Each structure stands twice: as structure tokens, then as C-alpha cells.
Amino acid sequence: MHFNANDSILVNIIASVVVILAGTLVVKLINRFFSGRLQADNRGSYRAWTVASRNLVAAVVFLLLLGIWVSELKSVAISLAAFAAALLLVGKELVMCFLGAFMRMITRPFQLGDLVEIGPFGGEVIDMDVMSTTLVEVAAARQYTGFTVQVPNSMLLTTAVRNHSQAGAYTLDMVRIPLAVGDDPEVVEALLMQVARRACEGFMEEAGRTLRRYGDMRFVDLSQFEPRVIFEPYDVTRFDAVVRFPVPVSARLAVAQQIVRGYYRERAKVQPAAAGATPAADTPAVQP
């Protein structure tokens, strides 16, 4: 039986459809396999395996499609070059997304499960592909908003990436306490240090080991990881106390709230005592 050019193209189309459907089926089976075995303690590893498997299947499908159509592509090489030139002019963002994905693969600024900030967007990385990076959004107050954000990979070429999980399970975080100009910095610092040490005492040693190990790897001095309080002027009527403290990446909100609540609770105890001592000091002594 003799096949002409149209028959060859039809066979290629049918083979391409079969390859794409098979790849889609394999991805769905992989997702079902890992979803059925998902537990709280293996969520991160299963997510990584799911994304890696899906990207591997996509690469295999792409190579198979390329092999199916390679003979046709050879015959239209000149047209393909013209198409590529047009794609660079019209689809610059698409090309930049591919380049951003390639740069992410080479430099690895973050991984699945890391808490990152990419430009104005911040959140936990839950998915990565050649076009975008998907985040579960985390607000400035360290709370999950419930929204997902798809950041185009082209932003990785032009925007700084801040990774809060680079050191591992622990990081350094800060919380800001607004103060009036009349507040005593020494009293405020003592209260904040007391509250921060109490909030961090359960993981202080392990956090210190993790941060020192990361600092040694990066040639950065992270030996001063214990809670610290500094004061920054805001305007003529206010200055801020900034508390820096070690914290598990997964517990940033809880520890920060513990420090804030503990400070105001301790301050509420100190102020009535100081107010009660003032009249006693001003009361004149009784003459015998």
C-alpha cells in the first residue's frame, strides 16, 4: 500500500493525539496514586514527587512529539526559522517565561514548599512548571489568605527573590512594636527580651545549630541568632521597637503573635503597678 504526503500527515496527527492522551492519562494516574497515600507528615515530599513526575511526563511527551514531526520540520526549516523570529518579536513574554524556568532550574533560588517573596507576591511554593510558579499567598501578617498566585517565570529574570526557607527549617524573623515618644526604651527592651526568650526557648538550640550551619556554608556570620531588640525612629511622635528572633518557618505567625500578645500582657501588669506607686511617693509624710 502506498502512502502519500497527506496520509503521512494524518498518521502523524493521530500519533500525536495518542501521545498527548497517554501523557494526560499518566499524569492523572500519578496524581491519584499520590493523593490516595497523602498524609500530614508526607505532604511536602508527595507534592514534590507529583510535580517532578508531571514535568517528566511533559518532557517525554514533548520529545515524542518532536520525534513524530521531525521529518515534517526538516522540510519547513526555513519557514520554522521565520516563525521563530516572529515568535521572538510577538511572544517575548513567552520566551522569557521559558528562560526564567531554565534559570530557576540552574540556580535553584527556591524549591517546593519554600516560603518566598517574588516582587510584590509572597507565599508558599506549591507548583512549578515552564510557564509559571504557583504560590499559596501569605499576607504581610504571616497568615494564609486562601488565594493562590500564579507568578510568570519571566519575573524571575527581572525581580529579586526573597527566600525565607533558604536556611532550612528555621529562619530569622522580625516583629515591629509601635511606641510613644514618652515610653522608656530600657523598660520596653527588658519586657520584649523576656517575652521573646520565653517564646523561643523550646527551639533555641536547634535553631542556633541550623542557622550556624547555613552561615558556615554561605560564609555568613549567623552566630548572633538570639532575640534582639533595636529601636527605630518613625516620626516626631513615635518610635518603633523591632524584635528579631529565630523561629521555625512553619510557625512564624504563632511565635510572632506570642511575642506581641505577651508584651502587651506584661506591659499591662507593669503600668498599674507604676501608677499605684506614684501617689504613694507624692503623699507627704504624716507629722507625729
Side-chain angles (χ1 to χ4, degrees), residues 22-37:
T24 304
L25 179 61
V26 171
V27 169
K28 289 185 177 295
L29 290 176
I30 290 173
N31 290 338
R32 181 175 298 180
F33 174 80
F34 286 114
S35 298
R37 291 161 175 77

Side-chain angles (χ1 to χ4, degrees), residues 34 42-54 112 126:
F34 286 114
N42 59 18
R43 186 182 303 273
S45 61
Y46 274 21
R47 181 194 299 161
W49 276 106
T50 301
V51 173
S53 303
R54 188 197 62 208
L112 285 172
I126 61 170

Side-chain angles (χ1 to χ4, degrees), residues 202-217:
F203 51 81
M204 184 77 74
E205 293 184 5
E206 185 177 355
R209 287 194 298 269
T210 301
L211 293 172
R212 279 194 295 265
R213 183 168 58 250
Y214 175 73
D216 293 340
M217 291 171 55

Side-chain angles (χ1 to χ4, degrees), residues 142 170-177 192-193 195-197 199-200 203-204 207 211 224-229 242-248 251-260:
R142 303 173 180 82
Y170 293 89
T171 186
L172 292 173
D173 201 4
M174 292 188 294
V175 65
R176 186 178 295 268
I177 306 292
L192 285 173
M193 289 296 294
V195 172
R197 287 196 178 104
C200 301
F203 51 81
M204 184 77 74
L211 293 172
Q224 304 298 323
F225 60 88
E226 295 184 353
R228 177 177 295 182
V229 178
V242 181
V243 188
R244 192 203 67 180
F245 54 95
V247 63
R252 293 167 66 237
L253 173 63
V255 176
Q257 285 295 305
Q258 188 176 348
I259 291 174
V260 173

Side-chain angles (χ1 to χ4, degrees), residues 1-276:
M1 182 180 295
H2 178 69
F3 288 96
N4 56 30
N6 292 332
D7 293 334
S8 177
I9 293 176
L10 180 61
V11 170
N12 288 346
I13 292 175
I14 294 175
S16 299
V17 172
V18 171
V19 168
I20 293 173
L21 291 177
T24 304
L25 179 61
V26 171
V27 169
K28 289 185 177 295
L29 290 176
I30 290 173
N31 290 338
R32 181 175 298 180
F33 174 80
F34 286 114
S35 298
R37 291 161 175 77
L38 186 63
Q39 296 179 3
D41 57 345
N42 59 18
R43 186 182 303 273
S45 61
Y46 274 21
R47 181 194 299 161
W49 276 106
T50 301
V51 173
S53 303
R54 188 197 62 208
N55 290 339
L56 178 62
V57 171
V60 171
V61 169
F62 175 78
L63 293 176
L64 289 175
L65 292 176
L66 188 63
I68 291 172
W69 291 96
V70 65
S71 59
E72 303 296 333
L73 292 176
K74 287 179 181 179
S75 63
V76 293
I78 297 177
S79 300
L80 186 63
F83 174 76
L87 183 63
L88 287 175
L89 294 175
V90 179
K92 184 179 70 172
E93 284 295 323
L94 182 65
V95 175
M96 289 183 65
C97 285
F98 280 99
L99 292 177
F102 179 74
M103 189 200 73
R104 184 191 63 204
M105 181 181 66
I106 297 299
T107 62
R108 298 181 65 83
F110 53 81
Q111 302 177 26
L112 285 172
D114 284 358
L115 191 64
V116 302
E117 295 178 28
I118 306 174
F121 308 108
E124 182 180 346
V125 181
I126 61 170
D127 196 4
M128 298 185 294
D129 55 38
V130 295
M131 296 300 298
S132 64
T133 299
T134 305
L135 310 176
V136 175
E137 188 178 38
V138 176
R142 303 173 180 82
Q143 289 195 90
Y144 288 101
T145 63
F147 299 100
T148 59
V149 181
Q150 282 194 307
V151 182
N153 289 332
S154 58
M155 290 189 64
L156 300 177
L157 300 173
T158 58
T159 306
V161 177
R162 176 179 292 180
N163 190 341
H164 296 276
S165 307
Q166 192 70 43
Y170 293 89
T171 186
L172 292 173
D173 201 4
M174 292 188 294
V175 65
R176 186 178 295 268
I177 306 292
L179 303 169
V181 171
D183 290 337
D184 186 353
E186 301 298 330
V187 175
V188 171
E189 181 177 8
L191 289 177
L192 285 173
M193 289 296 294
Q194 175 186 345
V195 172
R197 287 196 178 104
R198 186 164 60 239
C200 301
E201 63 181 356
F203 51 81
M204 184 77 74
E205 293 184 5
E206 185 177 355
R209 287 194 298 269
T210 301
L211 293 172
R212 279 194 295 265
R213 183 168 58 250
Y214 175 73
D216 293 340
M217 291 171 55
R218 297 290 183 175
F219 303 102
V220 178
D221 184 13
L222 293 179
S223 59
Q224 304 298 323
F225 60 88
E226 295 184 353
R228 177 177 295 182
V229 178
I230 61 173
F231 296 94
E232 293 182 355
Y234 185 81
D235 56 31
V236 294
T237 61
R238 168 187 156 188
F239 68 106
D240 293 347
V242 181
V243 188
R244 192 203 67 180
F245 54 95
V247 63
V249 175
S250 59
R252 293 167 66 237
L253 173 63
V255 176
Q257 285 295 305
Q258 188 176 348
I259 291 174
V260 173
R261 292 170 181 266
Y263 166 72
Y264 284 111
R265 185 169 55 248
E266 294 296 329
R267 182 168 178 172
K269 295 178 182 177
V270 171
Q271 285 180 337

